[in-house]
Amino acid sequence: MNAMTRHAEAAHRASGFVWQTLHGRGMRCTRPEVEGALVELSPEQLAQVHAAATSVAKGSDRAEFLGLLG
């Protein structure tokens, strides 16, 4: 399995959680839209978005996390 395939699979796995977090905060988007956006990110950016989604899911309202998810 090459790096591109692993990254696409990581983006697919993260997309459900990120979508659920965004949806819970009232941001309207589809899971395929989220997955498509996540695939375009570098692995480091994907990790940052996942960390931001985790913080927001736990109740954080930090502007930097919300901006990163937006």
Side-chain angles (χ1 to χ4, degrees), residues 7 11 34 36-47 49-50 68:
H7 180 68
V34 172
L38 294 179
V39 168
E40 297 295 322
L41 300 176
S42 71
E44 294 80 18
Q45 291 170 319
L46 178 59
V49 168
H50 192 271
L68 191 60

